[in-house]
Amino acid sequence: NCQYITTGNITFNYTLLSHSAWDGTTFTAPVAGKYKFTVNGHKQSTASSSAIELTILKGGSAVLAFYSLGAVSDRPRVHGEVIVDLAVNDTITFSLTIGGSGVSCSGLFLG
């Protein structure tokens, strides 16, 4: 998934899954285990000094937030990854909580 958003949950416009674990904004764990999730973002414009904050949420609660200060004429980038234990039907969402950013996200079942 890669898109530009201003704030809110990231809607997935492309997935590489053969089942329905992604519904557009939320990943629902089909099996229990460890999962690795990554999120990447970059400020699209140098006209604003806004910061960027991306958050990975489990069941609606922040697992980890990734933050970058903003400055005019800069296009900061943010990258973060986390490994979490999920039970069957636990959910993961990705959110842009501050700023406007181009965003990409991914998830991987580790076992």
Side-chain angles (χ1 to χ4, degrees):
N1 178 55
C2 187
Q3 62 176 310
Y4 178 79
I5 64 171
T6 52
T7 56
N9 285 346
I10 298 164
T11 301
F12 294 87
N13 55 9
Y14 179 73
T15 64
L16 294 174
L17 295 176
S18 59
H19 51 79
S20 60
W22 295 101
D23 74 356
T25 61
T26 304
F27 171 76
T28 302
V31 297
K34 292 191 182 300
Y35 290 79
K36 177 181 173 183
F37 294 98
T38 62
V39 63
N40 299 286
H42 66 278
K43 192 166 82 169
Q44 294 282 359
S45 170
T46 59
S48 166
S49 62
S50 66
I52 298 171
E53 183 178 62
L54 297 163
T55 306
I56 297 174
L57 302 105
K58 176 183 173 183
S61 297
V63 175
L64 203 48
F66 310 94
Y67 185 83
S68 175
L69 294 173
V72 175
S73 78
D74 285 342
R75 293 183 61 200
R77 299 188 184 310
V78 176
H79 169 83
E81 58 187 43
V82 64
I83 295 175
V84 294
D85 287 312
L86 298 180
V88 172
N89 294 323
D90 278 351
T91 60
I92 294 289
T93 53
F94 299 89
S95 182
L96 178 65
T97 47
I98 298 174
S101 180
V103 179
S104 65
C105 309
S106 66
L108 176 67
F109 177 65
L110 300 175

